[in-house]
Amino acid sequence: MGIYRGGYRTYTGPMLSPQTRFLVVAGLEFRRFFRQKWVRWLALLGCVPVVLFAAIVLVKVLVENMAAGAIPSLELLPKLLSAQLQFMALLAAVAGAGLIAEDRAGNALLLYLARPLSPERYAVGKLIALVGLLALAYLVPAFLYVSLELMVAAGGGAMHAVLRLLATLATTSVHVLVTALMVLALSSLGTRARYVGLSWIGIFYLSEILAAVAGQALDAEWTAMFSLPGLYRKGAELLIEGRSDGALPFLILAFLGIGSALFLRWRVMRLADAAEGQ
Amino acid sequence: MSATLPMPGATIELAAAVKRYGPILALNDLTLSVGGGITGLVGPNGAGKSTIIGLVTGLMPPSSGKVRVLGSDPWTDTALRARIGYCPDGDRAWHGMSGREFVTRLGVLAGLDPADAARNAEDALVRIGLSAALDKPISQYSKGMRQKAKLCQAVLHRPELLVLDEPLNGVDPLSRVEILKTLREMAAQGMAILVSSHVLHELETAIDRVVLIHRGRLLAEGTVEEIRDLLDEHPHAVRLEAQEPRKLASALLALEGVVGVQLLDGKTVDVTTRDPGQFYASLPEVITASGFAVEALWSPDSNLEAVFRYLVKGGGG
Amino acid sequence: MMPATARLMARHYVDTVVRTKRSVIVGIVLGLVGLLFVAAGILAPGPKEQLGLYYLFLFSGPAGVVLQFTALFFGAAVAADEVDNGTAIYLLSRPLSRPMTFLGRLAAAWVVLAVLMSALNLLVGLFTGGPGHLHRILLAEIPIVLGCGVYVALFALLATFVRNALAVGAVVSLLWDFPLSSVPLDLHLLTLRYPLVSLVRGVAMDFEDPEYQALWSSGMYRVFDQSPWTSFVVLILVLVVIAGVAARLAAVRPPNLRQT
């Protein structure tokens, strides 16, 4: 029966906890991602590299075991991460660019903020959804691949395996979080998902060109740190490979993430003020 | 059914028109003709009104059947679209443009000379009451102002047929009155107008003919009076307010043609009668003889909305 | 002489897409990229390094990722911007030929992009390739202008029947055009980059130049070995076919005007 026919009654059913109410935003967005055809296709395509690399590892193990005595090396992980990074960047552009931009375009911010939901929690809800999606494209394949490699590799011991898994998880988590924060921050600036997505892709790939130009002009390899993909690649070397020259790129990436988070918070508060002032 | 035009020479003719959007059947074998004057296209959400408007304005072809406007197919005949003016629903505009630029640009795109378009745009906007906002960006206009600007662009090139999709949506009451007045003036000058709206009670004061649509099918068409007469085929509701509603209800139940009486609240009696003419004729005698003090009398069924509700529930069409 | 409808729509495209804050930002970003190359060219130790920078610019800029993304920006707007705004309904209800409406907008997008890329090429080329290579820099304008047309037309075509033009454009660029150019199989023959980069290589690069030799022997661009004349004809044909198909689609296929 319609509410208007039942006569006005105060709701007496269970209420969500104020602390976790924002998870509704995350859940809604996550489900919305997979209603979009292109997001589903990209997520599926993103499984191809990990399947391919896993197959290579298994074949390698078979061949090398047959040759007796050889241990497969783990040099494929950087290549896998590089491939998955492309998918993560694409997914962030296709799915994440519109998260706040479309709410702005459709004047939907007020709908969220008229609920008992603070602007920060609104942003965190959106962030969790995007982190979840990007983790599927980046963190999960890396974790599965490393697990497979550790299972088939001879030697190393349990402690080594655990450390390696934790290092992979930590690195990929930071990468996913930083990517999601940067894309959300960009999304809060625009009202058209297409242009926000293009901006993200432009920043991502243009930075590589600029780094190459600087490298050629200055004849230096360290300029790769000026490119976003370079930061991801080099940063992975710190935790996963234990190489210290990955420390600075990792720190720069972390700094970008923190800066994006602060900017996003400031921006969402401003948008909330503007929406309420309408 | 073969797609033979129902009334060749009418302004708008649809013959066995079917329109599908994938698995959704938006128009189901619709045959319809619309002539001059103001015709109201009425139906609930999803009835197919915007689809009909899309076919008539040449925005899409029918999946099957025929559509003719002013004797030609609007989807294929580019020149025909210069004789049609279209005011779409929703908040659509290039918001960075001023009202003057918006109307002028669309006038030029309709084929007017740029100087003429600019001059006529200014005239039209001033006449409709937007003189103070001519050069302000449309993003700063109120809903009513945007609707007026959209109406100006639709009539700037003096079309023979004007099509308006929900022109009264979101518009304040004063602006609604102004818009309806403008439409009546244009119809008086010979323009054929097709207007779709949900604001039935205001629309019926302006329109000459009504087309009722539901679920992609034609329910009824005709003048407002012809449509109202359909009500005589179904029980008519009359409401009275009185100090002694129970006694009044008993007295009214005895009248011939009265099929039911209901007490709605402490004062109101709702009477359902099969013969409203007889009921109204007998009512003064009942009230006088019984001495009841009747404070109010009205019928919720004497309007388009009631007709529509009756027809949609399967009482006609 | 452009038909009146096409001229009107070209002007409308310039007013509603090009003269906007977004397009100005794109122009500024491209300008900054160009200035960076110029700065790098000035700082480069010698002519060999400068020429290397120019080649890097050519392959990453007007024949690379910069072209593709700028073409996606302007090309998708040809078909998608008015639909996203909800204003396509005004244009389609006007007495305007639909193919000419599309082609007018496409022509405007092509001209704008070609002007940007050509200017960038001249700016960067003079400070990196050097005035001594001016004839090569000018010859490079041919594949640059043609490449702009091809990619703008491609993304405009995709935007006519796919709602998410960004996703499709990005997939075409990043998962097709670029990766297939670098795999060892002959899949690069299926990319649009193949004739474009081959033409750039053929007209803009000095085969006697040691920097060119270094680039060639590095293997990175070895696969782009189509003859310049063949590449030129292929690009013209591709442009005509894509523009023709898109214009035909505009004529027969009603756009999805439902506002999201």
Side-chain angles (χ1 to χ4, degrees), chain B:
Chain B
M1 186 198 250
S2 72
T4 312
L5 296 170
M7 196 194 299
T11 306
I12 298 171
E13 299 152 276
L14 274 73
V18 173
K19 182 66 188 173
R20 286 191 181 83
Y21 299 113
I24 299 170
L25 186 60
L27 282 189
N28 190 354
D29 206 26
L30 187 75
T31 296
L32 170 66
S33 78
V34 171
I38 306 181
T39 304
L41 187 57
V42 172
N45 290 328
K49 302 189 300 297
S50 292
T51 303
I52 292 174
I53 285 176
L55 292 175
V56 162
T57 51
L59 295 175
M60 59 181 112
S63 305
S64 67
K66 279 198 190 126
V67 176
R68 289 287 179 274
V69 175
L70 300 168
S72 194
D73 180 353
W75 170 247
T76 54
D77 187 348
T78 307
L80 172 66
R81 296 198 286 269
R83 299 160 69 192
I84 303 173
Y86 177 38
C87 179
D89 66 341
D91 197 17
R92 307 166 195 254
W94 294 282
H95 290 119
M97 285 186 190
S98 66
R100 188 205 299 263
E101 283 169 339
F102 172 69
V103 177
T104 306
R105 172 67 52 90
L106 288 170
V108 171
L109 290 174
L112 296 182
D113 174 76
D116 280 345
R119 197 171 35 247
N120 293 352
E122 184 170 337
D123 282 344
L125 288 165
V126 165
R127 260 189 285 128
I128 211 162
L130 290 177
S131 52
L134 275 177
D135 295 308
K136 281 194 188 151
I138 287 185
S139 54
Q140 291 178 16
Y141 282 15
S142 68
K143 260 205 161 96
M145 289 163 77
R146 286 180 206 188
Q147 207 58 28
K148 287 179 183 174
K150 279 162 53 187
L151 192 54
C152 284
Q153 63 79 28
V155 301
L156 200 72
H157 53 291
R158 307 258 187 272
E160 292 167 51
L161 168 67
L162 178 63
V163 179
L164 304 118
D165 197 348
E166 311 272 357
L168 305 178
N169 258 7
V171 173
D172 63 82
L174 277 175
S175 297
R176 278 189 200 161
V177 168
E178 284 168 23
I179 288 171
L180 288 172
K181 183 175 157 229
T182 308
L183 292 183
R184 281 193 287 269
E185 283 167 4
M186 290 192 290
Q189 287 165 16
M191 198 185 281
I193 299 178
L194 178 69
V195 54
S196 86
S197 181
H198 290 128
V199 187
L200 298 177
H201 64 275
E202 284 181 357
L203 200 62
E204 66 181 300
T205 60
I207 55 181
D208 305 313
R209 291 184 67 82
V210 178
V211 171
L212 293 175
I213 302 285
H214 184 52
R215 289 190 188 153
R217 286 188 174 275
L218 180 67
L219 275 188
E221 63 171 317
T223 62
V224 177
E225 288 71 32
E226 285 165 0
I227 299 290
R228 275 214 201 100
D229 286 343
L230 289 172
L231 270 179
D232 290 343
E233 297 169 25
H234 95 111
H236 196 85
V238 181
R239 289 204 184 141
L240 303 98
E241 274 183 10
Q243 290 299 325
E244 292 170 285
R246 286 183 184 279
K247 287 182 182 166
L248 178 62
S250 303
L252 292 174
L253 204 52
L255 288 177
E256 204 177 312
V258 171
V259 297
V261 172
Q262 207 181 344
L263 291 170
L264 291 182
D265 54 38
K267 279 177 80 170
T268 312
V269 179
D270 184 76
V271 180
T272 310
T273 171
R274 236 179 294 152
D275 190 345
Q278 164 113 38
F279 177 80
Y280 286 123
S282 310
L283 185 63
E285 199 185 315
V286 168
I287 293 172
T288 314
S290 60
F292 295 127
V294 172
E295 292 166 8
L297 167 70
W298 76 97
S299 172
D301 277 353
S302 290
N303 55 37
L304 262 183
E305 212 161 320
V307 175
F308 183 72
R309 262 186 279 120
Y310 161 58
L311 291 171
V312 162
K313 280 177 189 159

Side-chain angles (χ1 to χ4, degrees), chain A residues 252-271:
Chain A
I252 294 174
L253 207 57
F255 180 73
L256 279 174
I258 293 168
S260 300
L262 290 171
F263 176 80
L264 179 64
R265 185 177 180 276
W266 170 80
R267 182 71 184 153
V268 166
M269 296 304 287
R270 268 201 66 156
L271 289 174

Side-chain angles (χ1 to χ4, degrees), chain C residues 189-207:
Chain C
L189 296 171
L190 300 172
T191 66
L192 278 176
R193 277 200 87 211
Y194 175 57
L196 179 61
V197 177
S198 300
L199 188 55
V200 168
R201 190 186 64 79
V203 303
M205 294 183 130
D206 183 354
F207 296 142

Side-chain angles (χ1 to χ4, degrees), chain A residues 166-228:
Chain A
L166 285 174
T168 307
L169 265 178
T171 309
T172 52
S173 302
V174 168
H175 287 180
V176 162
L177 185 60
V178 168
T179 309
L181 280 166
M182 287 197 285
V183 169
L184 262 187
L186 271 177
S187 183
S188 70
L189 289 171
T191 52
R192 290 272 193 92
R194 174 161 27 104
Y195 293 121
V196 172
L198 267 174
S199 307
W200 163 247
I201 290 179
I203 290 170
F204 196 80
Y205 289 100
L206 212 60
S207 60
E208 230 175 355
I209 297 170
L210 301 181
V213 172
Q216 192 132 352
L218 303 169
D219 197 20
E221 276 187 20
W222 54 265
T223 55
M225 273 196 294
F226 291 120
S227 83
L228 263 181

